[in-house]
Amino acid sequence: MHDDCCTNFQNAVDDYLVRHRSILDVLSKYQESAARVNRSFAKAVTECGCVKINAARQQFPSDASYCDLKEFMSTHLSGELCDNCKETISTELGHCLFYLTALCNL
């Protein structure tokens, strides 16, 4: 079922992508949509304040196995996206996925 869903999405993107069929158009639209994802997240931190970033160097034991590293890694995030920021970021991620899929199709 997962493969069918992905194939259906790829086919839908191919059907809807009429205006920007050039690889140059798709590359620039993908880059623009990725920048909008980044900007939306930055606004969630700096304007809304629903999430905070507390970044530092990742710390993990030197004898930790690769499989265990995930337990020691931090996302550097605290808080939770509010409904407005979540909707905005979801929309922007959808556009980004659309153009990434278009790029894969081309």
Side-chain angles (χ1 to χ4, degrees):
M1 173 150 169
H2 177 69
D3 289 337
D4 289 341
C5 185
C6 290
T7 301
N8 289 342
F9 182 67
Q10 278 188 275
N11 290 336
V13 168
D14 194 50
D15 289 343
Y16 286 109
L17 188 71
V18 176
R19 195 164 162 224
H20 301 285
R21 293 253 354 140
S22 165
I23 187 72
L24 296 174
D25 286 339
V26 173
L27 283 169
S28 64
K29 293 297 275 184
Y30 174 66
Q31 185 177 20
E32 179 184 336
S33 65
R36 291 180 64 88
V37 170
N38 292 341
R39 182 65 185 133
S40 296
F41 200 88
K43 282 183 166 187
V45 173
T46 61
E47 289 183 17
C48 179
C50 58
V51 291
K52 293 179 180 13
I53 299 173
N54 184 14
R57 184 175 180 200
Q58 298 282 9
Q59 301 289 322
F60 54 90
S62 59
D63 62 344
S65 71
Y66 181 77
C67 294
D68 295 332
L69 284 180
K70 188 175 180 181
E71 294 176 34
F72 301 102
M73 296 300 178
S74 170
T75 63
H76 298 134
L77 289 173
S78 62
E80 213 172 296
L81 291 171
C82 68
D83 289 341
N84 185 49
C85 291
K86 189 182 290 188
E87 183 177 335
T88 300
I89 291 171
S90 293
T91 298
E92 297 301 344
L93 281 170
H95 294 149
C96 195
L97 288 172
F98 177 89
Y99 286 109
L100 177 59
T101 302
L103 186 58
C104 291
N105 284 347
L106 294 178

